[in-house]
């Protein structure tokens, strides 16, 4: 079974030896011929056939010896600098094919300071790290989606069972029906946001930029939450400048503002305040959405744009942890800027900067 690879290696070693033998023989022959010609011409020495035969034998022996030494050195170099790195890369690739993305290859030290295999191995390790991160995100995403789907489905199942009980009073039936409706609404919102996020991350949404009045759009989005602020008795403060025009995808920006406003109203307690402002500053339309909610800690702030992350668990039933992820993705796609200022117990302000049309009035 192993005879063929060994025979192949033997032929390869013999092939290298013959190449080095011919190369060294040619070089030494040329050098010796030049040396003898120069010496005989300069010193007037006449070499006999015996002298030439002895010199030829010594030269041949030197060629054989030097060829063996050079072949051995080249074999060691090839073994250390080619075969071992290739074996390591092949073995690591096989591990990755089996689903092990934690595999890493030790970067070999280059003898000449310019190791191409070292660069390949570094790129391989980076690729393995990215694939490991992607696999972790995929696994977490599936786990989070499963959890988020399980909760409203359990609510629907439980209340549907109680609703079907003939002993239930009419008032209880209405309560159960409302709970089922709220759960299905939350489930629908989750699926809708997952689909939107998937399209945004895979760039399946074709942007349709148009020029529009940003102040009017903000006012329309804010009015869409009128039932919430009236129910929670939230005070609304607006400072929206007129005539600020931007060129962007109108539907995308509506999704952005709705998510920021939804977040603000969700975390603002009854009797609190939500403020929306729009001003033109140095060629940019600067929009701020402010609330007087619980605020965001530094630890929560580091993760708030991650999928399904909800820093305040007391509001889990009011969202699914995808709103700010959508906001972050829209900001990236539209090449806008977003910043967050927050203080625990006093509220949070999200500020978005969009490039303003040059002919817009401020």
């Amino acid at each position: 079974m192993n005879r063929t690879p060994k025979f192949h290696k033997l032929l390869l070693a013999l092939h290298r030896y013959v190449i080095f033998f011919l190369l060294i023989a040619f070089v030494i022959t040329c050098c010796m011929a030049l040396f003898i010609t120069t010496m005989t011409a300069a010193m007037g020495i006449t070499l006999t056939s015996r002298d030439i035969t002895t010199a030829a034998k010594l030269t041949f022996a030197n060629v054989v010896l030097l060829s063996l030494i050079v072949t051995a050195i080249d074999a060691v170099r090839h073994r250390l600098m080619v075969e071992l790195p290739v074996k390591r890369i092949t073995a690591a690739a096989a591990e990755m094919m089996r689903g092990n993305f934690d595999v890493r290859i030790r970067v070999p030290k280059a003898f000449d300071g310019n190791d191409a295999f070292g660069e390949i191995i570094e790129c391989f390790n980076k690729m393995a790290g990215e694939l490991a991160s992607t696999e972790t995100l995929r696994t977490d995403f599936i786990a989070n989606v499963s959890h988020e789907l399980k909760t409203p489905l359990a609510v629907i199942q439980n209340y549907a069972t109680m609703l079907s009980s003939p002993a239930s009073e009419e008032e209880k039936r209405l309560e159960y029906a409302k709970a089922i409706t709220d759960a299905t609404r939350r489930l629908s919102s989750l699926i809708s946001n997952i689909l939107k996020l998937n399209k945004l991350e895979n760039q399946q949404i074709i942007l349709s930029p148009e020029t529009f009045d940003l102040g009017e759009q903000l006012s329309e989005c804010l009015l869409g939450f009128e039932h919430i602020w009236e129910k929670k008795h939230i005070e609304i403060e607006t400072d929206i400048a007129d005539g600020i025009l931007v060129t962007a995808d109108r539907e995308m920006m509506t999704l952005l503002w709705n998510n920021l406003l939804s977040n603000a109203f969700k975390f603002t307690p009854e009797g609190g305040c939500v403020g929306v402002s729009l001003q033109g500053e140095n060629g940019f339309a600067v929009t701020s959405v402010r609330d007087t909610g619980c605020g965001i800690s530094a630890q929560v702030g580091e993760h708030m744009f991650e999928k399904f992350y909800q820093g305040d668990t007391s509001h889990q039933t009011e969202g699914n942890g995808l709103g700010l992820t959508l906001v972050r993705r829209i900001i990236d796609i539209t090449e806008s800027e977003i910043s967050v200022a927050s203080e625990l117990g006093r509220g949070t302000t999200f500020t978005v900067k969009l490039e303003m049309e040059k002919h817009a009035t401020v």
Side-chain angles (χ1 to χ4, degrees):
M1 293 294 290
N2 297 327
R3 186 172 298 176
T4 301
K6 288 183 178 180
F7 182 71
H8 177 72
K9 288 183 179 180
L10 182 61
L11 286 179
L12 184 60
L14 182 61
H15 177 262
R16 289 176 182 162
Y17 175 77
V18 171
I19 291 177
F20 285 125
F21 177 84
L22 293 175
L23 179 61
I24 293 174
F26 175 75
V27 172
I28 291 180
T29 300
C30 292
C31 291
M32 287 299 296
L34 179 62
F35 173 74
I36 292 172
T37 302
T38 304
M39 186 179 68
T40 54
M43 302 181 66
I45 299 175
T46 302
L47 298 175
T48 63
S49 58
R50 182 179 179 181
D51 295 330
I52 294 175
T53 301
T54 302
K57 291 179 179 179
L58 290 173
T59 302
F60 180 78
N62 286 331
V63 169
V64 172
L65 180 61
L66 289 173
S67 299
L68 285 173
I69 293 173
V70 173
T71 302
I73 293 174
D74 180 69
V76 173
R77 179 203 62 82
H78 188 269
R79 172 74 175 173
L80 294 177
M81 302 185 66
V82 178
E83 290 185 9
L84 286 180
V86 168
K87 286 182 178 179
R88 289 174 181 170
I89 294 172
T90 304
E95 284 293 317
M96 290 182 63
M97 290 172 62
R98 287 191 285 267
N100 180 15
F101 298 111
D102 295 326
V103 63
R104 297 294 184 273
I105 308 173
R106 183 176 60 84
V107 180
K109 294 182 179 179
F111 294 148
D112 56 0
N114 184 23
D115 185 15
F117 277 109
E119 296 180 8
I120 294 174
I121 289 173
E122 286 182 357
C123 292
F124 184 94
N125 289 338
K126 290 180 181 178
M127 178 185 69
E130 292 296 326
L131 288 174
S133 300
T134 303
E135 180 66 14
T136 301
L137 288 174
R138 185 185 70 84
T139 305
D140 291 345
F141 181 78
I142 293 174
N144 287 325
V145 169
S146 301
H147 175 74
E148 292 293 333
L149 289 174
K150 184 179 179 180
T151 303
L153 286 175
V155 171
I156 293 172
Q157 183 180 13
N158 292 336
Y159 280 103
T161 302
M162 290 187 289
L163 187 63
S164 61
S165 174
S168 299
E169 300 177 0
E170 185 64 24
E171 184 178 347
K172 288 292 183 180
R173 285 177 177 271
L174 293 176
E175 182 182 339
Y176 300 156
K178 182 180 182 303
I180 293 174
T181 302
D182 292 340
T184 54
R185 186 180 294 112
R186 180 184 174 190
L187 191 60
S188 175
S189 174
L190 171 63
I191 295 173
S192 176
N193 282 340
I194 289 175
L195 292 175
K196 289 175 184 176
L197 186 59
N198 181 64
K199 289 182 178 180
L200 288 172
E201 290 187 336
N202 291 283
Q203 297 182 346
Q204 295 176 351
I205 293 180
I206 300 176
L207 297 179
S208 301
E210 58 179 295
T211 302
F212 58 91
D213 190 307
L214 185 57
E216 292 182 0
Q217 185 184 55
L218 284 170
S219 299
E220 291 173 0
C221 292
L222 184 59
L223 287 173
F225 293 88
E226 184 176 5
H227 64 289
I228 297 179
W229 83 59
E230 288 183 348
K231 180 181 179 181
K232 297 177 68 174
H233 306 289
I234 294 175
E235 181 183 354
I236 303 298
E237 294 181 354
T238 58
D239 183 14
I240 300 176
D242 296 327
I244 293 186
L245 305 179
V246 296
T247 300
D249 187 292
R250 187 189 292 268
E251 183 178 351
M252 195 82 70
M253 297 312 298
T254 298
L255 180 60
L256 172 69
W257 308 130
N258 282 340
N259 276 290
L260 288 179
L261 288 169
S262 174
N263 209 58
F265 284 112
K266 179 172 69 174
F267 289 101
T268 300
E270 289 194 19
C273 178
V274 170
V276 178
S277 68
L278 171 63
Q279 300 295 328
E281 298 178 6
N282 301 321
F284 289 92
V286 181
T287 305
S288 295
V289 177
R290 175 178 56 85
D291 65 64
T292 56
C294 57
I296 301 173
S297 65
Q299 182 180 1
V300 172
E302 294 177 357
H303 304 280
M304 63 180 170
F305 291 111
E306 296 177 5
K307 298 174 185 175
F308 298 105
Y309 183 80
Q310 292 179 286
D312 185 357
T313 56
S314 63
H315 292 81
Q316 280 186 336
T317 58
E318 301 175 37
N320 45 53
L322 290 178
L324 290 181
T325 306
L326 286 168
V327 167
R328 177 77 266 178
R329 191 68 187 115
I330 293 171
I331 290 294
D332 293 338
I333 290 176
T334 57
E335 298 181 350
S336 310
E337 296 179 21
I338 187 169
S339 59
V340 185
S342 184
E343 186 176 349
L344 284 175
R346 303 196 65 176
T348 305
T349 301
F350 286 87
T351 302
V352 177
K353 290 178 66 176
L354 287 169
E355 190 171 351
M356 189 170 56
E357 283 295 301
K358 294 181 180 180
H359 59 276
T361 60
V362 180

